[in-house]
């Protein structure tokens, strides 16, 4: 499914079912994709969720995208998935690295390695699943 959309921000799909809306976007595996993912997430959630959920979503999507860029193979893109409905926001990031995400044990003064711990602490729920040649890591926030 990576196809031609990798390397540019492109809305690959929009689906609605009842009160749930889902969108997906392909982003290049480059550092500025975290900023793009925050912007795409903001468009999907601002005005639809409380300011606290919006703030948490923007923080957590940055963590997911940054992890994907750091650990996925260089030549691949990542897929950002955003779905919302009934007061639940679910955000997932797919990358081509099939290895499961592993929370790091970090010292107090370490400057990185806290992403998954932060996701676990801030989100209502989170997890990961294998998909194709890669994996999707996701979080949910409840309003």
């Amino acid at each position: 499914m990576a196809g031609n959309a990798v390397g540019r921000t492109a809305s690959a799909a929009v689906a609605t079912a009842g009160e749930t809306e889902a969108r997906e976007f392909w982003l290049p595996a480059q550092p500025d994709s975290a900023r793009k993912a925050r912007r795409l997430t903001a468009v999907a959630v601002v005005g639809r969720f409380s300011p606290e959920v919006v703030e948490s979503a923007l923080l957590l999507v940055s963590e997911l995208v940054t992890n994907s860029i750091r650990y996925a193979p260089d030549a691949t893109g990542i897929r950002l998935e955003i779905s919302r409905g009934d007061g639940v926001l679910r955000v997932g990031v797919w990358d081509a690295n099939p290895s499961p995400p592993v929370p790091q044990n970090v010292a107090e003064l370490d400057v990185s390695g806290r992403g998954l711990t932060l996701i676990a602490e801030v989100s209502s729920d989170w997890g990961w699943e294998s998909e194709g040649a890669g994996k999707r890591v996701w979080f949910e926030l409840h309003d």
Side-chain angles (χ1 to χ4, degrees), residues 77-91:
I78 59 175
R79 186 175 68 226
L80 171 66
E81 303 164 341
I82 304 168
S83 64
R84 61 177 195 246
D86 297 328
V88 177
L89 171 66
R90 183 177 173 120
V91 176

Side-chain angles (χ1 to χ4, degrees), residues 57-141:
L58 299 180
L59 172 66
L60 299 183
V61 76
S62 291
E63 294 295 334
L64 285 185
V65 170
T66 299
N67 281 351
S68 286
I69 292 166
R70 176 177 278 171
Y71 298 110
D74 292 335
T76 64
I78 59 175
R79 186 175 68 226
L80 171 66
E81 303 164 341
I82 304 168
S83 64
R84 61 177 195 246
D86 297 328
V88 177
L89 171 66
R90 183 177 173 120
V91 176
V93 174
W94 178 92
D95 63 48
N97 180 347
S99 300
V102 178
Q104 306 280 321
N105 290 322
V106 295
E108 184 177 338
L109 297 178
D110 287 348
V111 295
S112 66
R114 292 182 175 78
L116 291 175
T117 301
L118 183 64
I119 290 167
E121 290 178 3
V122 173
S123 68
S124 302
D125 195 11
W126 80 281
W128 74 279
E129 57 250 354
S130 294
E131 181 188 319
K135 69 172 173 315
R136 173 187 306 105
V137 182
W138 56 268
F139 67 83
E140 288 183 352
L141 294 167

